Structures are given as structure tokens and as C-alpha cells.
Amino acid sequence: MTELIDLYVIARLDTGDAAADLYSCEVYYDAETGTFHGRTVNSWWESVRLPAEAEASLDALDRALSGAGYARIGQWRKRATASGAVRYFADATTCVEEL
């Protein structure tokens, strides 16, 4: 049996250190309408990194995520941290085989 896992992705496009950090999360939906209501981020799942010589781009991270068995759902959302670092956020899923 396969279990669908919801993940939250925080990506950085730092030159030589581009990566997508994935976190497990619990997704909540409105009980009446079924529309997305929010999420609780639980714990770090893994990081998918680009090779240091690779071009740091969201398209390259999408290919790396897909190659690692993840599916990004929805669009990337650009945010800046309090220190000014630019990060990109998205939701993703993966499937895990239950033993």
C-alpha cells in the first residue's frame, strides 16, 4: 500500500548552494467547503541539492525534485527573510510504500 505524504518546500537559489529543503506537514481543509485552510509544518524531511556547478534556478530545482520522487503542487511563492535572504516556498507531495 502507498501513502501520500504532504510536504512544505523552502528553496534557496544561492550560487553554489542551491537546494530545496523539504518538511513534512499536516494540511488542513475547511470542513464545510473542502478548500485549503492552512498547514502545520512538522519536521525536516530531507534536502534536495543541485550540484555546485549547476545553474541555480527554480526550473533546475523542479527537475531535481521530480528526479528524487517529489511532485511540486501549486506555484512557487517568493519571500524575503528579515535578514534580506530571498527564499521560495511551495507545497509538494511524495508517495511512500508502507511495509
Side-chain angles (χ1 to χ4, degrees):
M1 184 170 189
T2 304
E3 180 182 0
L4 182 69
I5 305 294
D6 291 305
L7 300 163
Y8 192 56
V9 185
I10 302 174
R12 61 182 180 277
L13 298 180
D14 302 341
T15 302
D17 188 31
D21 298 315
L22 295 106
Y23 298 86
S24 63
C25 66
E26 183 75 26
V27 178
Y28 297 95
Y29 299 91
D30 184 283
E32 301 296 321
T33 66
T35 57
F36 175 79
H37 189 65
R39 79 184 58 73
T40 300
V41 177
N42 294 326
S43 60
W44 176 78
W45 187 267
E46 84 164 308
S47 293
V48 175
R49 297 184 179 280
L50 294 180
E53 67 279 359
E55 175 190 353
S57 70
L58 292 175
D59 286 339
L61 279 177
D62 277 339
R63 288 189 298 275
L65 286 167
S66 179
Y70 300 102
R72 179 176 55 85
I73 52 176
Q75 299 298 311
W76 287 108
R77 300 175 297 280
K78 184 178 180 179
R79 305 279 189 267
T81 66
S83 66
V86 174
R87 298 292 182 255
Y88 299 86
F89 297 79
D91 297 298
T93 60
T94 192
C95 292
V96 174
E97 288 290 326
E98 293 182 4
L99 299 176

